Amino acid sequence: MKYTVKEVKRIFLDYFKNHEHKQIKNSSIIPENVDSLLFINAGMAPIKNVFTGQQIPESKRMCNMQICIRTNDIDSIGDRHHLSSFCMLGSWSVGDYFKEDAIRFATDLLTNHFNIPIEKLYATAFSGDEKRGIPADTDSEIYWKKVGFKDNQIVKCGFEDNFWRMGDGESPCGPCTEVFYDTGAEHGKSYEESGYFDDKKRYIEIWNAGVFMQYLQKEDGTYTNLPFNSVDTGSGLERLVMTLNGFDSVYETEVYKPILEFVAQNAKTPNTQSLRIIADHIKTSVLILNAGIEPSNAKRGYVLRRLLRRAIRHIRTIGAEPSLILEVAKRTIDNLIECDIAPDWNFSKEEIVAKIMQENDKFSKLLGNGLKEFNNFISREENIESGELKPELVFKLYDTFGFPFEMTRELAEENNIKVNEEEFNKLFEKHKEVSKGDIGKVFKCGLAETNEITTKLHTATHLLQAGLKKVLGDHVSQKGSNITDERLRFDFNFERKMTPEEIKAVEDFVNDVISKNVQVVKEEMSYEDAQKSGALGLFANKYGDVVSVYTIGEYSKEICGGPHAENTGDLGKFKIAKEESSSAGVRRIKGILN
Ligand code: SER
């Protein structure tokens, strides 16, 4: 019998509803009540406070399907069963039944409703942790045996594998017992034969059949008892469907298969890994965008940016058109609805696709040059030390071309070169400090608040100065600058009113550079080197030892704290709205972008 996603979801939820569990709603993937989590990573996360007694549950027995995001093992995406987003089928007892009933329900559902022969199932049990003072879970072993598991179908595991908590922050937690499915001899030696429980290949986890919530993990890493005992279970729907159908990977389920096929049809050189990464990352990006997150360089926005950029690069790898990403996103949205696993939509399909298009446009421009630079780096022996690409070059790819670290790692690995994450992180931290220093004590180019529009106006200000020099003469230079959400204001030394022709010539200069899609390149160097490089700069005594120099092709080079647009193509159309006198010998321009 073939199981569909819809059917497996229905069988699971019906089973628990038939055993007095109330089905609760799927929550947003953005945690409302958990600061330590970027995204909801388990079905229990949105309701975690019911386990501590801080919140009254809708019912003592509950179940649902929750969309979860887990991007900590992003590098595993592309194997048989890791996904960056998935649906978790969950069931809960809050201060109601405990271990024995949970194990009985799990076995009944798997063997009698999903018809899995019991000898194909293995269960793990917590072996205790002396250091943390948490005893072994010997009860679970007894109950698994009671429902028909043999001794050799029960595997004892330690804290890392069999103690579940939501993260490192405060969290209800406890020992857990997980059910694994034996995929057969073609995937490796059996546990009985080798004494080794191969949970990577032969045995696939299909259900965390019970976190036995007994403890509260405190911020300081200590544990106290919860006021009552609860059960939290969770099973990855896509993985369960894969297992029940005997598929080799989750990508054979209808959640992914049509998407992979579509991408493959539109690729010149498809490869399995890339197809899987594209399908997985675009699906997760759609879900994150729907939650109102935009690509950025921090926190949730950066997770989204990394997923989109990695997908964009793999679309290039398989020789497909960059715009394929948009059609993949549309089909992904339709398919989530078709499979009955869609979130509540906060945005329309068109709105989500438009946001992907923006990031695609932005990154596609950088990607080509970045790849050239990368190939250039690795072609020179002096850039590779002990098999590793020099950290500063990895950082340059991040800083100048927007290459997320793992993307460079992946590119490097494809060329048998390693990268050093620790060293990259050090440079990243150092850079953050330098930038902070820049903003604090360095000339800010008139930028008070930074957001997307002020950042663009800031770049337009550099181009305006370059244009004025070109049209009015090199003696013209900045006397002051101020940027708000609406306009830039630029003061410069010049004796008379500008003519309409001069104004138009300056506007044309700026718009010409905009239309050329010139990359804005940032470099850090000593003040002395910056001066030598011909960079414009004011108030020399206000600069720190290391300064940032922003170069816009052959058109502009200025010492500046930033931030700037990544590419002039992002700016829109520039217009001088006003040209007037500011004080004796100083003129003032107000400029806008639209
Ligand atoms: N919270 C547990 C897990 O994520 C059970 O759902 O594995």
Side-chain angles (χ1 to χ4, degrees), residues 42 44 70 88 164 208 211 232-234:
M44 59 71 73
R70 287 188 185 176
M88 187 181 271
W164 204 88
N208 191 346
V211 177
D232 154 41
T233 90

Side-chain angles (χ1 to χ4, degrees), residues 393-412:
L393 300 181
V394 180
F395 185 74
K396 181 151 191 226
L397 288 167
Y398 160 79
D399 199 33
T400 310
F401 299 100
F403 279 26
F405 172 77
E406 66 269 358
M407 197 169 112
T408 304
R409 172 163 59 197
E410 194 172 61
L411 283 164

Side-chain angles (χ1 to χ4, degrees), residues 187-225:
H187 289 112
K189 283 202 170 146
S190 72
Y191 178 49
E192 293 85 327
E193 253 178 291
S194 62
Y196 166 66
F197 190 64
D198 176 6
D199 63 353
K200 301 280 174 295
K201 291 214 171 80
R202 175 151 179 169
Y203 302 97
I204 302 283
E205 186 207 326
I206 54 170
W207 195 357
N208 191 346
V211 177
F212 299 124
M213 302 272 200
Q214 286 165 276
Y215 306 105
L216 180 69
Q217 172 183 268
K218 301 286 218 32
E219 294 279 351
D220 63 5
T222 58
Y223 297 88
T224 54
N225 286 324

Side-chain angles (χ1 to χ4, degrees), residues 1 8 16 127 146 183-184 246 249 255 392 471 483 517 520:
M1 167 180 177
V8 171
F16 283 101
S127 56
K146 204 165 160 184
T183 60
S249 90
V255 180
E392 55 272 28
V471 175
I483 294 170
N517 291 327
V520 181

Side-chain angles (χ1 to χ4, degrees), residues 412-583:
E413 276 168 3
E414 287 164 13
N415 290 279
N416 293 322
I417 299 168
K418 292 202 190 70
V419 288
N420 189 325
E421 188 162 10
E422 215 174 296
E423 290 301 319
F424 171 84
N425 286 339
K426 274 191 208 154
L427 288 173
F428 185 79
E429 289 305 318
K430 196 167 130 206
H431 164 83
K432 266 207 306 210
E433 270 158 37
V434 171
S435 316
K436 256 192 255 150
D438 275 349
I439 304 285
K441 63 182 182 329
V442 176
F443 174 49
K444 285 197 283 183
C445 293
L447 201 57
E449 295 283 329
T450 62
N451 58 39
E452 211 174 313
I453 176 72
T454 56
T455 302
K456 288 179 188 171
L457 283 165
H458 192 183
T459 305
T461 303
H462 283 213
L463 292 179
L464 172 62
Q465 167 150 248
L468 289 168
K469 279 177 173 293
K470 193 158 185 210
V471 175
L472 304 178
D474 211 29
H475 63 287
V476 166
S477 67
Q478 174 171 343
K479 291 287 167 248
S481 164
N482 171 278
I483 294 170
T484 70
D485 277 350
E486 269 113 38
R487 52 107 187 107
L488 63 82
R489 194 181 76 200
F490 187 77
D491 294 347
F492 59 101
N493 59 307
F494 195 56
E495 290 302 329
R496 60 167 172 84
K497 190 170 175 55
M498 285 172 73
T499 65
E501 291 74 31
E502 284 166 343
I503 289 180
K504 171 131 193 338
V506 173
E507 281 176 346
D508 286 350
F509 170 89
V510 174
N511 285 319
D512 185 47
V513 184
I514 291 176
S515 71
K516 286 192 173 125
N517 291 327
V518 185
Q519 204 170 296
V520 181
V521 176
K522 176 184 176 188
E523 286 163 297
E524 317 246 296
M525 57 184 85
S526 68
Y527 177 61
E528 215 176 288
D529 284 349
Q531 268 189 322
K532 272 194 226 145
S533 80
L536 298 178
L538 293 182
F539 316 132
N541 56 348
K542 286 199 193 165
Y543 291 113
D545 295 340
V546 179
V547 296
S548 304
V549 173
Y550 284 87
T551 305
I552 310 176
E554 73 220 44
Y555 308 101
S556 155
K557 198 186 242 315
E558 286 195 38
I559 300 175
C560 174
H564 279 277
E566 289 171 5
N567 190 291
T568 61
D570 297 337
L571 301 187
K573 198 162 166 44
F574 175 71
K575 195 169 160 32
I576 293 180
K578 211 171 201 179
E579 193 273 345
E580 59 190 353
S581 164
S582 165
S583 60

